Amino acid sequence: DTLIHEIAALEAGIKALDKTVAGATEQRKAENAEYKELMASDGAAKELLGFAKNRLNKFYNPKLYKEAPKQELTEEERILFNNGGTPPPTEAPGGIAGTGVTALVQISAHNQLDQGAAPAPPPSTWGAYSTKSEEGTGVISMIDLLIKDLDKEMTEAETEEKNAQADYQATMSDAADKRAQDSKSLTEKDSSKADLETALQGHGESKKATVSELMATDKYISSLHAECDWLMQYFDVRKAARADEVDAL
């Protein structure tokens, strides 16, 4: 009974362990998907903010403005252009408001910049231009803060993802070791149970043979008793008959 209970406990433990592993795996998949979604969203947001900052720099900090990369011509287009042909038109950027950013990003801020139109030209007076320049610089500073916050969030997310993956791998390793040990113990106990059942069957057959032998012995003893009882019962008669036979000689 003890061995049977131990086997049942091991089987239940392995089943529970497998269920725990499956649950942890599903949770890790969900966390990883959430991490990838966050990184994609924040990456697209940084790209969008960088585009807005560059557009503002074009008007307020021209030295910091970065021109869009020129379109690279294919070999056929280059030959056509060198022979006096017209190069193909540059495709307008797609994505959000013509920025080329294709991911759908929602960014909460005090105000949302209009990415479809360039900032208004500076006013004619120096004071007004100075005010607008300061506003532009303030907006650029706000964008820098937003980018910094996104960088911080992405760094924290990367750290959390790395730690979560490390914890998951450690859990899976421990679970694998535990399952291997329990499976080995279960195999050994099943083998012991089979040996005991074989031995029990052998004992049963031996008992059956012993009982048969005992019954035969009892029968033989009973026959001996019957013979002895007969001899005892007729001993005197046979003794007297023997004496008569001797006297007759």
mmCIF file of all heavy atoms in Angstrom, residues 135-165:
data_model
loop_
_atom_site.group_PDB
_atom_site.id
_atom_site.type_symbol
_atom_site.label_atom_id
_atom_site.label_comp_id
_atom_site.label_asym_id
_atom_site.label_seq_id
_atom_site.Cartn_x
_atom_site.Cartn_y
_atom_site.Cartn_z
ATOM 1 N N GLU A 135 9.730 80.042 -28.557
ATOM 2 C CA GLU A 135 8.679 79.026 -28.525
ATOM 3 C C GLU A 135 9.140 77.748 -29.227
ATOM 4 O O GLU A 135 8.905 76.643 -28.764
ATOM 5 C CB GLU A 135 7.409 79.566 -29.184
ATOM 6 C CG GLU A 135 6.727 80.666 -28.378
ATOM 7 C CD GLU A 135 5.502 81.212 -29.096
ATOM 8 O OE1 GLU A 135 5.259 80.758 -30.234
ATOM 9 O OE2 GLU A 135 4.809 82.059 -28.522
ATOM 10 N N GLY A 136 9.813 77.967 -30.385
ATOM 11 C CA GLY A 136 10.314 76.804 -31.114
ATOM 12 C C GLY A 136 11.342 76.038 -30.298
ATOM 13 O O GLY A 136 11.328 74.798 -30.249
ATOM 14 N N THR A 137 12.215 76.784 -29.632
ATOM 15 C CA THR A 137 13.220 76.128 -28.787
ATOM 16 C C THR A 137 12.559 75.384 -27.634
ATOM 17 O O THR A 137 12.994 74.290 -27.265
ATOM 18 C CB THR A 137 14.194 77.175 -28.233
ATOM 19 O OG1 THR A 137 14.808 77.871 -29.321
ATOM 20 C CG2 THR A 137 15.273 76.526 -27.391
ATOM 21 N N GLY A 138 11.499 75.969 -27.092
ATOM 22 C CA GLY A 138 10.775 75.315 -26.008
ATOM 23 C C GLY A 138 10.119 74.024 -26.474
ATOM 24 O O GLY A 138 10.141 73.008 -25.751
ATOM 25 N N VAL A 139 9.565 74.070 -27.684
ATOM 26 C CA VAL A 139 8.941 72.862 -28.225
ATOM 27 C C VAL A 139 9.998 71.782 -28.457
ATOM 28 O O VAL A 139 9.796 70.608 -28.163
ATOM 29 C CB VAL A 139 8.190 73.179 -29.530
ATOM 30 C CG1 VAL A 139 7.684 71.889 -30.173
ATOM 31 C CG2 VAL A 139 7.014 74.106 -29.241
ATOM 32 N N ILE A 140 11.156 72.207 -28.992
ATOM 33 C CA ILE A 140 12.241 71.249 -29.232
ATOM 34 C C ILE A 140 12.710 70.642 -27.913
ATOM 35 O O ILE A 140 12.978 69.437 -27.814
ATOM 36 C CB ILE A 140 13.406 71.931 -29.967
ATOM 37 C CG1 ILE A 140 12.985 72.291 -31.393
ATOM 38 C CG2 ILE A 140 14.629 71.020 -29.994
ATOM 39 C CD1 ILE A 140 14.024 73.092 -32.156
ATOM 40 N N SER A 141 12.795 71.477 -26.868
ATOM 41 C CA SER A 141 13.187 70.976 -25.547
ATOM 42 C C SER A 141 12.176 69.962 -25.031
ATOM 43 O O SER A 141 12.545 68.934 -24.429
ATOM 44 C CB SER A 141 13.323 72.128 -24.556
ATOM 45 O OG SER A 141 14.354 73.019 -24.977
ATOM 46 N N MET A 142 10.893 70.252 -25.279
ATOM 47 C CA MET A 142 9.852 69.325 -24.843
ATOM 48 C C MET A 142 9.987 67.987 -25.587
ATOM 49 O O MET A 142 9.834 66.915 -24.998
ATOM 50 C CB MET A 142 8.470 69.928 -25.091
ATOM 51 C CG MET A 142 7.327 69.046 -24.581
ATOM 52 S SD MET A 142 5.700 69.677 -25.034
ATOM 53 C CE MET A 142 5.731 69.343 -26.797
ATOM 54 N N ILE A 143 10.297 68.069 -26.870
ATOM 55 C CA ILE A 143 10.492 66.844 -27.665
ATOM 56 C C ILE A 143 11.672 66.047 -27.113
ATOM 57 O O ILE A 143 11.623 64.823 -27.004
ATOM 58 C CB ILE A 143 10.700 67.200 -29.150
ATOM 59 C CG1 ILE A 143 9.400 67.732 -29.747
ATOM 60 C CG2 ILE A 143 11.182 65.982 -29.935
ATOM 61 C CD1 ILE A 143 9.524 68.186 -31.189
ATOM 62 N N ASP A 144 12.751 66.767 -26.764
ATOM 63 C CA ASP A 144 13.919 66.089 -26.192
ATOM 64 C C ASP A 144 13.553 65.365 -24.902
ATOM 65 O O ASP A 144 14.030 64.245 -24.641
ATOM 66 C CB ASP A 144 15.045 67.092 -25.933
ATOM 67 C CG ASP A 144 15.705 67.571 -27.218
ATOM 68 O OD1 ASP A 144 15.621 66.838 -28.210
ATOM 69 O OD2 ASP A 144 16.286 68.674 -27.206
ATOM 70 N N LEU A 145 12.705 66.005 -24.080
ATOM 71 C CA LEU A 145 12.277 65.365 -22.835
ATOM 72 C C LEU A 145 11.443 64.112 -23.110
ATOM 73 O O LEU A 145 11.596 63.086 -22.437
ATOM 74 C CB LEU A 145 11.469 66.354 -21.986
ATOM 75 C CG LEU A 145 12.258 67.493 -21.328
ATOM 76 C CD1 LEU A 145 11.312 68.453 -20.616
ATOM 77 C CD2 LEU A 145 13.285 66.935 -20.344
ATOM 78 N N LEU A 146 10.551 64.232 -24.118
ATOM 79 C CA LEU A 146 9.740 63.079 -24.473
ATOM 80 C C LEU A 146 10.611 61.921 -24.970
ATOM 81 O O LEU A 146 10.388 60.756 -24.619
ATOM 82 C CB LEU A 146 8.714 63.465 -25.546
ATOM 83 C CG LEU A 146 7.584 64.401 -25.093
ATOM 84 C CD1 LEU A 146 6.740 64.831 -26.288
ATOM 85 C CD2 LEU A 146 6.711 63.719 -24.046
ATOM 86 N N ILE A 147 11.609 62.246 -25.790
ATOM 87 C CA ILE A 147 12.513 61.215 -26.293
ATOM 88 C C ILE A 147 13.302 60.588 -25.138
ATOM 89 O O ILE A 147 13.510 59.373 -25.091
ATOM 90 C CB ILE A 147 13.472 61.808 -27.350
ATOM 91 C CG1 ILE A 147 12.689 62.198 -28.605
ATOM 92 C CG2 ILE A 147 14.573 60.815 -27.699
ATOM 93 C CD1 ILE A 147 13.521 62.888 -29.663
ATOM 94 N N LYS A 148 13.715 61.447 -24.193
ATOM 95 C CA LYS A 148 14.446 60.948 -23.033
ATOM 96 C C LYS A 148 13.577 60.006 -22.211
ATOM 97 O O LYS A 148 14.040 58.951 -21.743
ATOM 98 C CB LYS A 148 14.912 62.126 -22.168
ATOM 99 C CG LYS A 148 15.752 61.715 -20.973
ATOM 100 C CD LYS A 148 16.221 62.943 -20.195
ATOM 101 C CE LYS A 148 17.053 62.537 -18.980
ATOM 102 N NZ LYS A 148 17.497 63.720 -18.205
ATOM 103 N N ASP A 149 12.290 60.377 -22.032
ATOM 104 C CA ASP A 149 11.368 59.505 -21.295
ATOM 105 C C ASP A 149 11.176 58.172 -22.014
ATOM 106 O O ASP A 149 11.103 57.101 -21.379
ATOM 107 C CB ASP A 149 10.015 60.202 -21.125
ATOM 108 C CG ASP A 149 10.073 61.347 -20.125
ATOM 109 O OD1 ASP A 149 11.028 61.378 -19.323
ATOM 110 O OD2 ASP A 149 9.183 62.213 -20.155
ATOM 111 N N LEU A 150 11.090 58.230 -23.337
ATOM 112 C CA LEU A 150 10.933 57.002 -24.117
ATOM 113 C C LEU A 150 12.177 56.119 -23.986
ATOM 114 O O LEU A 150 12.080 54.891 -23.855
ATOM 115 C CB LEU A 150 10.665 57.336 -25.585
ATOM 116 C CG LEU A 150 9.276 57.913 -25.895
ATOM 117 C CD1 LEU A 150 9.213 58.390 -27.342
ATOM 118 C CD2 LEU A 150 8.188 56.874 -25.643
ATOM 119 N N ASP A 151 13.348 56.750 -24.040
ATOM 120 C CA ASP A 151 14.598 56.000 -23.871
ATOM 121 C C ASP A 151 14.631 55.309 -22.505
ATOM 122 O O ASP A 151 15.042 54.140 -22.392
ATOM 123 C CB ASP A 151 15.806 56.928 -24.020
ATOM 124 C CG ASP A 151 16.076 57.312 -25.461
ATOM 125 O OD1 ASP A 151 15.670 56.544 -26.354
ATOM 126 O OD2 ASP A 151 16.680 58.376 -25.704
ATOM 127 N N LYS A 152 14.199 56.043 -21.480
ATOM 128 C CA LYS A 152 14.185 55.481 -20.132
ATOM 129 C C LYS A 152 13.219 54.306 -20.046
ATOM 130 O O LYS A 152 13.539 53.248 -19.482
ATOM 131 C CB LYS A 152 13.791 56.563 -19.125
ATOM 132 C CG LYS A 152 13.759 56.073 -17.685
ATOM 133 C CD LYS A 152 13.351 57.187 -16.729
ATOM 134 C CE LYS A 152 13.286 56.686 -15.282
ATOM 135 N NZ LYS A 152 12.857 57.760 -14.351
ATOM 136 N N GLU A 153 12.031 54.481 -20.622
ATOM 137 C CA GLU A 153 11.037 53.408 -20.597
ATOM 138 C C GLU A 153 11.536 52.184 -21.353
ATOM 139 O O GLU A 153 11.353 51.043 -20.902
ATOM 140 C CB GLU A 153 9.727 53.904 -21.211
ATOM 141 C CG GLU A 153 8.592 52.890 -21.130
ATOM 142 C CD GLU A 153 7.295 53.429 -21.682
ATOM 143 O OE1 GLU A 153 7.320 54.087 -22.747
ATOM 144 O OE2 GLU A 153 6.243 53.189 -21.068
ATOM 145 N N MET A 154 12.191 52.393 -22.483
ATOM 146 C CA MET A 154 12.705 51.274 -23.278
ATOM 147 C C MET A 154 13.844 50.561 -22.554
ATOM 148 O O MET A 154 13.933 49.325 -22.587
ATOM 149 C CB MET A 154 13.171 51.778 -24.647
ATOM 150 C CG MET A 154 12.036 52.289 -25.527
ATOM 151 S SD MET A 154 12.600 53.047 -27.077
ATOM 152 C CE MET A 154 13.096 51.576 -27.997
ATOM 153 N N THR A 155 14.694 51.340 -21.879
ATOM 154 C CA THR A 155 15.792 50.737 -21.119
ATOM 155 C C THR A 155 15.251 49.891 -19.971
ATOM 156 O O THR A 155 15.718 48.757 -19.729
ATOM 157 C CB THR A 155 16.722 51.824 -20.568
ATOM 158 O OG1 THR A 155 17.273 52.576 -21.657
ATOM 159 C CG2 THR A 155 17.858 51.209 -19.763
ATOM 160 N N GLU A 156 14.258 50.442 -19.264
ATOM 161 C CA GLU A 156 13.653 49.693 -18.160
ATOM 162 C C GLU A 156 12.965 48.433 -18.685
ATOM 163 O O GLU A 156 13.049 47.365 -18.055
ATOM 164 C CB GLU A 156 12.648 50.574 -17.418
ATOM 165 C CG GLU A 156 13.300 51.716 -16.639
ATOM 166 C CD GLU A 156 12.271 52.629 -15.992
ATOM 167 O OE1 GLU A 156 11.070 52.476 -16.315
ATOM 168 O OE2 GLU A 156 12.657 53.494 -15.181
ATOM 169 N N ALA A 157 12.281 48.560 -19.824
ATOM 170 C CA ALA A 157 11.597 47.406 -20.403
ATOM 171 C C ALA A 157 12.599 46.320 -20.812
ATOM 172 O O ALA A 157 12.356 45.129 -20.615
ATOM 173 C CB ALA A 157 10.765 47.835 -21.611
ATOM 174 N N GLU A 158 13.736 46.747 -21.385
ATOM 175 C CA GLU A 158 14.771 45.782 -21.770
ATOM 176 C C GLU A 158 15.327 45.051 -20.545
ATOM 177 O O GLU A 158 15.554 43.835 -20.580
ATOM 178 C CB GLU A 158 15.905 46.503 -22.509
ATOM 179 C CG GLU A 158 15.533 46.963 -23.910
ATOM 180 C CD GLU A 158 16.659 47.743 -24.577
ATOM 181 O OE1 GLU A 158 17.654 48.031 -23.872
ATOM 182 O OE2 GLU A 158 16.546 48.062 -25.760
ATOM 183 N N THR A 159 15.534 45.791 -19.465
ATOM 184 C CA THR A 159 16.045 45.176 -18.238
ATOM 185 C C THR A 159 15.036 44.193 -17.657
ATOM 186 O O THR A 159 15.397 43.070 -17.257
ATOM 187 C CB THR A 159 16.362 46.264 -17.199
ATOM 188 O OG1 THR A 159 17.332 47.173 -17.737
ATOM 189 C CG2 THR A 159 16.921 45.651 -15.925
ATOM 190 N N GLU A 160 13.769 44.621 -17.614
ATOM 191 C CA GLU A 160 12.724 43.741 -17.089
ATOM 192 C C GLU A 160 12.584 42.486 -17.952
ATOM 193 O O GLU A 160 12.408 41.380 -17.431
ATOM 194 C CB GLU A 160 11.397 44.496 -17.021
ATOM 195 C CG GLU A 160 11.375 45.599 -15.970
ATOM 196 C CD GLU A 160 10.075 46.390 -15.986
ATOM 197 O OE1 GLU A 160 9.220 46.075 -16.849
ATOM 198 O OE2 GLU A 160 9.913 47.302 -15.165
ATOM 199 N N GLU A 161 12.655 42.672 -19.268
ATOM 200 C CA GLU A 161 12.544 41.520 -20.169
ATOM 201 C C GLU A 161 13.718 40.567 -19.972
ATOM 202 O O GLU A 161 13.533 39.333 -19.933
ATOM 203 C CB GLU A 161 12.502 42.017 -21.621
ATOM 204 C CG GLU A 161 12.626 40.929 -22.675
ATOM 205 C CD GLU A 161 11.448 39.986 -22.718
ATOM 206 O OE1 GLU A 161 10.407 40.294 -22.102
ATOM 207 O OE2 GLU A 161 11.561 38.921 -23.351
ATOM 208 N N LYS A 162 14.914 41.117 -19.836
ATOM 209 C CA LYS A 162 16.099 40.288 -19.626
ATOM 210 C C LYS A 162 15.988 39.507 -18.318
ATOM 211 O O LYS A 162 16.266 38.294 -18.276
ATOM 212 C CB LYS A 162 17.346 41.162 -19.614
ATOM 213 C CG LYS A 162 18.645 40.394 -19.440
ATOM 214 C CD LYS A 162 19.845 41.327 -19.467
ATOM 215 C CE LYS A 162 21.144 40.564 -19.283
ATOM 216 N NZ LYS A 162 22.323 41.473 -19.297
ATOM 217 N N ASN A 163 15.560 40.189 -17.242
ATOM 218 C CA ASN A 163 15.423 39.522 -15.948
ATOM 219 C C ASN A 163 14.316 38.465 -15.976
ATOM 220 O O ASN A 163 14.468 37.372 -15.413
ATOM 221 C CB ASN A 163 15.129 40.547 -14.856
ATOM 222 C CG ASN A 163 16.308 41.479 -14.593
ATOM 223 O OD1 ASN A 163 17.458 41.134 -14.890
ATOM 224 N ND2 ASN A 163 16.040 42.642 -14.049
ATOM 225 N N ALA A 164 13.198 38.810 -16.628
ATOM 226 C CA ALA A 164 12.084 37.864 -16.703
ATOM 227 C C ALA A 164 12.486 36.621 -17.492
ATOM 228 O O ALA A 164 12.133 35.498 -17.116
ATOM 229 C CB ALA A 164 10.871 38.525 -17.355
ATOM 230 N N GLN A 165 13.236 36.818 -18.574
ATOM 231 C CA GLN A 165 13.678 35.673 -19.371
ATOM 232 C C GLN A 165 14.662 34.804 -18.582
ATOM 233 O O GLN A 165 14.611 33.573 -18.649
ATOM 234 C CB GLN A 165 14.329 36.161 -20.670
ATOM 235 C CG GLN A 165 14.786 35.071 -21.622
ATOM 236 C CD GLN A 165 13.656 34.207 -22.135
ATOM 237 O OE1 GLN A 165 12.508 34.638 -22.147
ATOM 238 N NE2 GLN A 165 13.977 33.004 -22.559
#
